[in-house]
Amino acid sequence: MVAVAAAASLLALTACGGGDAEDGPATLRMTIWSSSPDHLALLNGIADEYRKSHPDVTAITFDSLPLENYTTTLTTQLAGGNAPDLAWVLESSAPDFVRSGALVPLEDTLRAASDYDYDDLQPSTTKLWTADDHLYAYPFSTSPFGVFVNTDLVKKAGQRTPAELIKAGTWTWDAAFALGSAVQSKAGKAGLVVRDFDYKTWDNLATVWGGWGAEAWSADGKTCGFDKPEMVAAMTALHEAIFTAKALPGPGTAPDFFAGDAAMTITQISRASLLKDQTFGWDLVPLPAGPAGEYSVIGQAGIGVLKKSAHVDAATDFLAFLTDPANSTKLARFFPPPRKSQLNTETLAAGNPLLEPEQLQAVVIDGIDSGTVKPSHVGSAEIGQQVRSALDPLWKPGADVRAVLGSVCAAIAPLLKQ
């Protein structure tokens, strides 16, 4: 119930007004989900550069919160009077933050910033973060999911690599599950890992069920999609892959692809830095095609300024600096930018030396052109909690997939209509 109460407090912020008056030097705090040393070094470097010309900002700190409980922790901070000045906002909770009045409109400050080129922002990337012609968060990361492949493990299991399957026109979910099963049985390692899912973060499974054309709910957000035939088929295939074919590790195990413990993992290019010291051969390929054809799924995150910040003006000004063209290029090393001028292999390759231009084109650029964003909805904390709880019975052998998915809809249908 903590997540539900915290979300309710977020929605009440509109009536609570802004933060304290901006008197004296500003110390800014920004919450983020990553604790990656590379991410933090990049952000701290940009912050240090900003402070050189802004002595009134005495410190900028980045507060790393665990991804699994990120939004719950952030909204709890808001409810407890400990609001950060800026925050990363995940796509799942974007509607709550955008519509709650918790965030400061950004467009005037960004348009006025020197050499910012606001019109370079691709409209499709700002849609989720816009309401009533106001931009409430800058979509600094619009990142399609791809499949990282340990080609050494694949070859050890005597299998064709995904790249070879792509050339043959047979890179499908059936082939991916078969490959994962073969690696598990012949090489003694995990086959396929949906990174950060861990049988808890259910919306990461959109990277799988999208191949069947399934959706968590309808485009208008009012109708549950878990009991629809496409979702039943997708989850049945996934369940069989986990518990019969052993293509994916079951609950309670957490093999790490980047430590060489799995043949494939579904994640985004921001994780590529974890491969810089690895010695095994690897590749990055698009998601497999499903019965509904080829598709792409995008994870998106925005940076917003909290109205409860004690230094709204300073925080908004820093956000304009953090996301200007020069720093957007730096962020593109990990986070595909929303700028039309920077969505090209030259910009992305300059910041991602471990990845080939062909990989960036196929997974990132083409993925942004055709992809759909992971599920999001008003009241995401309560809906997400209900989905996770209702899905729990699915993660065991012999589960009645159709019945479990029906129970998901029974749990969330009233919430979707609110």
Side-chain angles (χ1 to χ4, degrees), residues 18-37:
D20 298 330
E22 300 198 24
D23 295 328
T27 297
L28 302 180
R29 177 171 65 92
M30 176 173 157
T31 57
I32 63 176
W33 64 260
S34 174
S35 58
S36 161

Side-chain angles (χ1 to χ4, degrees), residues 87-106:
W88 285 12
V89 180
L90 304 179
E91 72 284 300
S92 59
S93 55
D96 283 326
F97 277 87
V98 167
R99 300 184 191 185
S100 68
L103 299 175
V104 175
L106 301 173

Side-chain angles (χ1 to χ4, degrees), residues 231-253:
M231 185 67 82
V232 173
M235 291 300 222
T236 297
L238 179 63
H239 190 274
E240 291 175 353
I242 295 168
F243 295 103
T244 302
K246 310 297 184 183
L248 289 82
T253 58

